[in-house]
Structure formats: structure tokens, C-alpha cells
Amino acid sequence: MSAEQEAKNLLAKIERIVDRAFCEMLLRQLEAHEGPIEVKALSIRPATNKGDNYTSDMFRVSLDYVSGGREKKTSLVVKSEPLTDGIHKDMISRSTLFSTEIRMMSDSLTKMNGFLAPGQKLNGRGLYTQKENPPMLVIEDLQPLGFRMADRESGLDYPHCLLAVKGLARFHASSVALCEKEPEQKDWYRRGIFVNQPDEVKQFFTQGARSLAQEAANWPELDQRIVEKIRRIADDIYERGSGVSDCRSHDFNVINHGDFWVNNMLFKYDANNRPIGHIFVDFQLCLYSSPGVDLQYFFNTSLSDDMLLAKESALLEAYLAELEAVMKAAGCRTRAPSMAELQRMMRERATYGMVASFTVLPLVLVEKSEVKSLDEMMSSDGTYDNPAYRGKAYRKAMVRRLPKFDQLGLLD
């Protein structure tokens, strides 16, 4: 089946779910309006491009409607569990991704935003959720507010990174305040990507590491001793990630976003195209653990390689300053970590960054013409083909990073 036909079939499926009756029900809830609401025009189109999102189907719904005798327009984003049969759908349906995001959007984030100053909101409003047939969320469309994705292939420059780490600090700080007030929140977010997930998730990480070893064997500029080390640890890469994602009760812990890479954040820009605002999307992998989890993941997936080498310390300083300020303003009893403590956390979670470099960075750097869906990458017979590992940008980045990982002892 052609890509064009697949796209048409996908739209036909969501149109049967998000029909006029559904939209009128939703609008009545949003407007708290008991009178008649009539949808006059309804259009649905994909909200993301291939390669922008790997765990759900995203659609932008545009509505013309009449409410209380007045003509109105609005747009919404619908996020559903994958609708096309295959490994992708099976994996997501057996995971806890949507239940985690529904809980975050309907409870935790609302309360976390309450600890922040006006203008510092973490996310677009959740407007509607359903847990089955299919699991689905309807979310405020942030595009009309001026937010958009940055260019994932280029890697974020310093102004983008600075906004991102300050936003992350607010996310973490407000979660500390929430967990002090409601300690049970900690137990809601114990899984992330590395705990009790379907076998296909482990396969994605294992096959990714194997693919890296296979490609790196053809890189003469890389010490082949390092390639052999990658090959030896490939089958254990998922367990290595799990081992450094755990919550250590004696340490400073937060609710991590859990999937904090360039495509899970949006930026707002001024008239000169300078980033001036940052907001989070996608809360399916939230995890109560060390802030080093989010920071290592972000640094190893979303920064340009030069930025990672030159600005890591400055970004950590900016993160910590914002964390301390927001925790103080929120009246937190917990003490924020010192810089020395934060650097220790980063060292202890360095393997998390390495695993992200092995498995997520290829998806970030793959050329748009080479993007594959999870169903195209992963076959039911266990084979795996991800052209992202053959990309020039990924090769350049890993040739620089792998010796560093080796020096830190992460490949042993």
C-alpha cells in the first residue's frame, strides 16, 4: 500500500471517531453551554509529519460552528493511540503510555501549573480524555498561539537550549512542590520507558544498539575496539538504561518529563525569529526519579554537538538557578541540590545519556527523506531496519561521542 493510501485510510478512521456528533458534544462541554451547538464545517488533517512522533497518531481538527446564535471558529489537536494495525499499535496498546499522559494532563500538570507565575504555564490545556476505543486526548491547539517545533536535524542552539532548561527547571520544581503536598503523586510515575514495558520496547533498544555496532564497524575513523565493546553490551542496553532510571530515596528526585527531546517541546518566536517562549508536549513517559534522567536525555538528543561540548556547564547553571528560584517561590521544604550534587547526579546517570545517543539520537538526526515509522523499522520476525544509523550526521556525532563514553567506562 502506498504512503498516500495509508494516509487516506488513517484519516478515514479518525473521521469515523471524531465526527460532528463528537465535536458538538465536546464543544458543549468546553463552553458549558446547554443550548444547541451546531458544527457547520469540520476538517481533519495530520498535525505532525512522519518522524515527528512515534507513539501516537496526531490530528488537527478545524471547526466552524454556531453556538448561542453566534458563528465561531476553533481548532483542536486530537492525540490517539495508533489506529493502524501492526507492531506499533500492539506495543502502545500494551504499554501504560496513554494512561500516564491522561493522568498527567487531567491532574498533575494542572496542579503543577498552580505553583508557577502567570505566563509560565507548562503545557497546553487538556480538553477531553477517553481511556479506550481508542485511548485519546483532545488538547488545546498551540499553533494559533504562535508555538511551533524547532528544527530537529540542526540541533538546538544556545537561545533555544536556555529556554528549554529553564522550562525544565520549572517543571521539576513545581513537581517537587506537588509531591510535598501530595506524596502519592510519586507512586503514579514509577515506570518511564524502562520499567514493565512490552517486549517490543526492549527490542527497539536492543536492535538499535546492534545496528549502531554494525554501522560503526564501517567507520575507519573510529577505534574498532570501541565497536567490539558496543557489540558486547548491545543485548544488555535496555537493562543498563533501567539500572540508571531508578529512583533513589536518599537523593533529590522530581517528576521527570521522561521524553524531553526537541520534538516534545514547542517554541514561540518574536518578529526577528528569536525564541522567546517554551512549552512542553507529550507526557507519556513521566517518571519520578533524579533530574539527571531528563537532563542527560535532553543533552544527548537535542543539542547540536558543538553546543553539547561548549555549553553544558552554562546550561546546568541556568537550570539550577531557575530550579532554586521556583522552589523558593513555591515554598518548597525540600532543599535544591548544589551544583556539586547536580554534577554528581549527571555522572551517575551518564549511561542514560549514552543509551539515548544509541537509540533516540538516530531518530532525531535522520534526514526527512529517510524517515521510517516504527512498523517499517520493526518486523514481526524480529528484523530491524532503521536507515537513521546510516546517516552522515549521526556518524559524525557518534564518532565524537563514543570515545568519551569509553573514557567514562560506560562501554565496559
Side-chain angles (χ1 to χ4, degrees):
M1 185 184 301
S2 69
E4 183 179 357
Q5 187 59 49
E6 286 182 1
K8 288 181 179 179
N9 291 348
L10 184 60
L11 281 175
K13 289 179 180 180
I14 196 64
E15 286 168 353
R16 288 194 290 270
I17 299 167
V18 182
D19 57 12
R20 287 178 184 251
F22 175 89
C23 292
E24 288 171 354
M25 174 276 295
L26 179 61
L27 290 168
R28 278 193 293 273
Q29 289 187 15
L30 297 180
E31 296 199 357
H33 183 60
E34 296 182 0
I37 290 180
E38 182 181 3
V39 171
K40 293 292 189 179
L42 161 64
S43 69
I44 303 177
R45 63 187 188 279
T48 56
N49 297 315
K50 191 174 184 179
D52 287 343
N53 184 285
Y54 288 92
T55 59
S56 59
D57 290 333
M58 303 277 292
F59 306 93
R60 179 164 282 107
V61 180
S62 299
L63 296 167
D64 293 353
Y65 64 102
V66 176
S67 173
R70 297 176 56 195
E71 295 185 356
K72 299 182 179 182
K73 295 178 180 286
T74 192
S75 64
L76 310 166
V77 171
V78 172
K79 180 176 186 176
S80 79
E81 185 178 270
L83 300 174
T84 303
D85 291 338
I87 289 178
H88 184 202
K89 181 178 180 178
D90 293 342
M91 178 175 70
I92 301 305
S93 65
R94 295 205 312 276
S95 73
T96 59
L97 300 189
F98 270 82
S99 60
T100 296
E101 185 160 31
I102 287 171
R103 175 159 261 171
M104 279 294 292
M105 294 288 289
S106 61
D107 187 281
S108 305
L109 281 165
T110 301
K111 295 171 180 175
M112 287 162 63
N113 280 314
F115 292 106
L116 300 175
Q120 292 185 338
K121 74 174 184 175
L122 301 169
N123 61 294
R125 290 181 299 136
L127 306 175
Y128 172 84
T129 64
Q130 67 181 43
K131 295 183 179 180
E132 56 186 3
N133 300 321
M136 186 170 72
L137 301 95
V138 181
I139 307 165
E140 175 185 18
D141 188 359
L142 295 166
Q143 189 178 75
L145 301 179
F147 287 96
R148 66 177 191 264
M149 282 185 182
D151 181 5
R152 62 170 172 78
E153 291 182 68
S154 299
L156 298 179
D157 61 15
Y158 188 66
H160 284 87
C161 289
L162 196 57
L163 284 174
V165 296
K166 287 183 175 182
L168 185 64
R170 291 191 289 272
F171 189 100
H172 289 170
S174 60
S175 80
V176 172
L178 175 59
C179 290
E180 286 185 351
K181 187 176 182 180
E182 300 180 22
E184 65 273 15
Q185 294 267 349
K186 302 175 186 178
D187 295 323
W188 293 356
Y189 306 109
R190 295 289 191 181
R191 295 182 71 165
I193 191 63
F194 287 109
V195 179
N196 295 329
Q197 295 294 358
D199 289 342
E200 291 90 346
V201 175
K202 179 177 180 179
Q203 178 188 343
F204 169 80
F205 283 88
T206 301
Q207 296 283 27
R210 290 175 181 170
S211 295
L212 171 59
Q214 181 178 341
E215 289 302 319
N218 301 315
W219 300 347
E221 67 271 36
L222 182 67
D223 186 343
Q224 292 302 295
R225 179 183 55 84
I226 291 177
V227 176
E228 184 56 36
K229 287 187 174 185
I230 300 169
R231 191 174 289 115
R232 285 201 301 267
I233 69 172
D235 288 349
D236 298 323
I237 200 69
Y238 188 77
E239 287 74 18
R240 288 179 178 236
S242 178
V244 291
S245 67
D246 61 318
C247 174
R248 300 167 190 176
S249 58
H250 64 278
D251 226 335
F252 177 80
N253 292 296
V254 300
I255 298 176
N256 285 267
H257 179 277
D259 197 13
F260 190 55
W261 70 299
V262 59
N263 278 15
N264 281 338
M265 60 191 79
L266 304 177
F267 293 91
K268 192 172 186 176
Y269 297 84
D270 65 14
N272 296 312
N273 206 35
R274 292 183 297 234
I276 56 173
H278 168 275
I279 202 164
F280 295 85
V281 297
D282 200 331
F283 304 95
Q284 297 182 326
L285 293 171
C286 293
L287 173 70
Y288 187 73
S289 186
S290 165
V293 168
D294 268 347
L295 287 165
Q296 284 286 6
Y297 191 88
F298 175 63
F299 285 173
N300 283 278
T301 60
S302 303
L303 279 63
S304 65
D305 227 38
D306 290 340
M307 187 62 54
L308 178 62
L309 293 170
K311 294 294 186 179
E312 181 176 339
S313 295
L315 291 171
L316 286 177
E317 289 173 1
Y319 165 85
L320 188 56
E322 188 76 4
L323 181 78
E324 292 172 337
V326 176
M327 286 179 63
K328 182 178 179 180
C332 293
R333 299 184 302 276
T334 304
R335 180 181 64 82
S338 66
M339 178 54 72
E341 289 168 331
L342 183 61
Q343 290 171 334
R344 171 184 57 79
M345 293 178 204
M346 293 293 287
R347 290 193 298 271
E348 291 175 350
R349 309 290 173 154
T351 294
Y352 204 94
M354 181 187 74
V355 173
S357 291
F358 280 21
T359 56
V360 179
L361 184 63
L363 306 180
V364 178
L365 296 180
V366 64
E367 295 181 10
K368 291 180 174 63
S369 61
E370 296 291 329
V371 170
K372 283 191 173 187
S373 68
L374 284 179
D375 282 326
E376 291 169 325
M377 289 184 229
M378 303 172 68
S379 301
S380 56
D381 62 3
T383 57
Y384 183 84
D385 180 29
N386 186 353
Y389 286 93
R390 299 188 284 273
K392 293 179 180 179
Y394 183 64
R395 175 175 178 170
K396 179 180 178 181
M398 293 307 289
V399 165
R400 297 177 75 174
R401 293 185 191 192
L402 285 167
K404 178 182 176 182
F405 294 148
D406 189 36
Q407 290 169 6
L408 293 172
L410 305 183
L411 298 175
D412 296 328

